[in-house]
């Protein structure tokens, strides 16, 4: 089988350790398709190295893996703490991803106010899509765990979310992809996740107070970064990090709906 036919398969492998010529980047599920696209672009230009971006083990999983020298590179969606930096971890900011709200198409809405979203997630005043001009359909709320980076970004910046008690009548998704898949599959569902253009496949991404996630004044976002340790980083990993911050990678990030990070 030609090498080009193997790359998509390699990018999807989750549990098989990276073989010679592979560079695995473990961690957050935020922006995973965007990161895989950057990895594929690097591998196309450097066929001796295949970048593998496995499914999510969370930002914490990346920090443990790189901190314990089990992995050379990781991906995180939150800033490193002082103690993590003291372990020798270094973060390279890659992309700013707005915190988007999205719904199953059956809801028949494409815009809400921040107050309406808070009422939906609070589980009190709005429980049916007809209450906000949509279909006569029960709202199914999908949330993330309290430590999720997107939820923390919403609590920090989205109006009404700082002290919002999310309804108990909600499903807790444990990964970004789980949240997206649930909303795609469940009629009436609403969820939140970092925005990339792939999010629009099978869902309706909402405007909030008239602003789409890619608008400059959209209020909430997470920054995805790569992490490494200077004493374990390999030449291949260092070369990939340089590529990820290059003009070509930044153009790809913008094309896919992200905002290249400044650092």
């Amino acid at each position: 089988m030609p090498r080009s036919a193997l790359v998509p398969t390699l990018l999807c492998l989750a549990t098989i350790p990276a073989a010679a010529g592979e560079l695995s980047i473990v961690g957050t599920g935020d922006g995973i398709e965007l990161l895989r696209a950057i990895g594929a672009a690097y591998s196309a230009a450097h066929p001796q190295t295949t970048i593998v971006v496995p499914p999510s083990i969370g930002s914490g999983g990346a920090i443990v893996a790189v901190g314990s020298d089990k992995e050379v590179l990781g991906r995180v969606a939150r800033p490193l703490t002082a103690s993590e930096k003291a372990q020798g971890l270094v973060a390279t900011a890659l992309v700013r991803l707005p915190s988007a709200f999205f719904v199953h198409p059956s809801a028949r809405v494409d815009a809400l106010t921040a107050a309406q979203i808070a009422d939906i997630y609070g589980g009190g005043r709005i429980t049916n899509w007809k209450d906000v001009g949509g279909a006569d359909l029960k709202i199914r709320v999908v949330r993330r765990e309290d430590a999720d980076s997107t939820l923390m970004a919403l609590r920090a910046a989205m109006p009404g979310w700082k002290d919002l008690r999310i309804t108990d009548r909600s499903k807790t998704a444990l990964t970004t992809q789980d949240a997206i898949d649930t909303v795609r599959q469940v009629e009436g569902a609403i969820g939140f996740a970092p925005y990339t253009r792939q999010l629009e496949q099978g869902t309706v991404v909402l405007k909030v107070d008239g602003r789409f996630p890619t608008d400059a004044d959209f209020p909430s976002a997470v920054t995805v970064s790569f992490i490494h340790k200077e004493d374990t980083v390999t030449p291949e990993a260092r070369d990939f990090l340089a590529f990820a911050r290059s003009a070509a990678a930044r153009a790809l990030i913008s094309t896919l709906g992200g905002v290249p990070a400044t650092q």
Side-chain angles (χ1 to χ4, degrees):
M1 181 182 294
R3 181 182 180 83
S4 60
L6 288 172
V7 172
T9 301
L10 291 170
L11 291 175
C12 295
L13 292 179
T15 59
I16 298 175
E22 294 180 357
L23 178 61
S24 180
I25 309 174
V26 301
T28 179
D30 293 359
I32 190 168
E33 297 302 332
L34 185 152
L35 299 180
R36 285 173 174 167
I38 294 172
Y42 178 84
S43 296
H46 304 80
Q48 73 278 10
T49 304
T50 297
I51 302 298
V52 181
V53 183
S56 175
I57 59 171
S59 296
I63 289 165
V64 170
V66 177
S68 62
D69 300 337
K70 292 181 179 178
E71 298 286 351
V72 173
L73 290 180
R75 53 190 207 264
V76 298
R78 66 164 177 80
L80 294 174
T81 65
S83 62
E84 289 161 354
K85 292 178 181 177
Q87 296 174 33
L89 293 173
V90 178
T92 301
L94 178 70
V95 57
R96 182 179 180 272
L97 298 173
S99 307
F101 289 93
F102 53 98
V103 299
H104 189 280
S106 61
R108 285 193 255 164
V109 298
D110 60 10
L112 293 173
T113 67
Q116 287 171 329
I117 292 173
D119 283 342
I120 288 170
Y121 270 84
R125 299 178 188 172
I126 301 175
T127 58
N128 191 300
W129 287 115
K130 69 180 180 180
D131 298 333
V132 290
D136 185 1
L137 183 65
K138 182 178 179 180
I139 298 174
R140 307 286 183 177
V141 173
V142 181
R143 62 162 295 170
R144 294 295 309 277
E145 69 279 16
D146 290 338
D148 171 64
S149 55
T150 303
L151 179 54
M152 289 191 291
L154 290 171
R155 291 203 182 282
M158 185 64 67
W161 278 70
K162 181 178 180 181
D163 299 311
L164 181 68
R165 185 181 186 278
I166 297 177
T167 175
D168 294 333
R169 298 188 299 274
S170 59
K171 170 185 167 59
T172 299
L174 298 181
T175 67
T176 299
Q177 195 58 51
D178 182 26
I180 296 170
D181 288 343
T182 300
V183 174
R184 284 173 174 163
Q185 295 164 10
V186 177
E187 289 193 353
I190 180 172
F192 55 81
Y195 174 81
T196 63
R197 297 205 189 281
Q198 287 86 354
L199 187 58
E200 299 180 52
Q201 298 174 8
T203 77
V204 177
V205 177
L206 300 178
K207 288 184 177 180
V208 179
D209 291 334
R211 293 172 290 182
F212 198 73
T214 51
D215 291 343
D217 55 352
F218 194 82
S220 182
V222 297
T223 297
V224 176
S225 304
F226 292 128
I227 58 170
H228 71 279
K229 291 170 68 175
E230 286 294 337
D231 57 355
T232 60
V233 67
T234 62
E236 293 81 9
R238 196 178 296 281
D239 190 57
F240 172 73
L241 290 173
F243 173 83
R245 298 281 293 172
S246 69
R250 291 169 67 84
L252 180 57
I253 288 169
S254 298
T255 298
L256 295 175
V259 179
T262 58
Q263 186 172 1

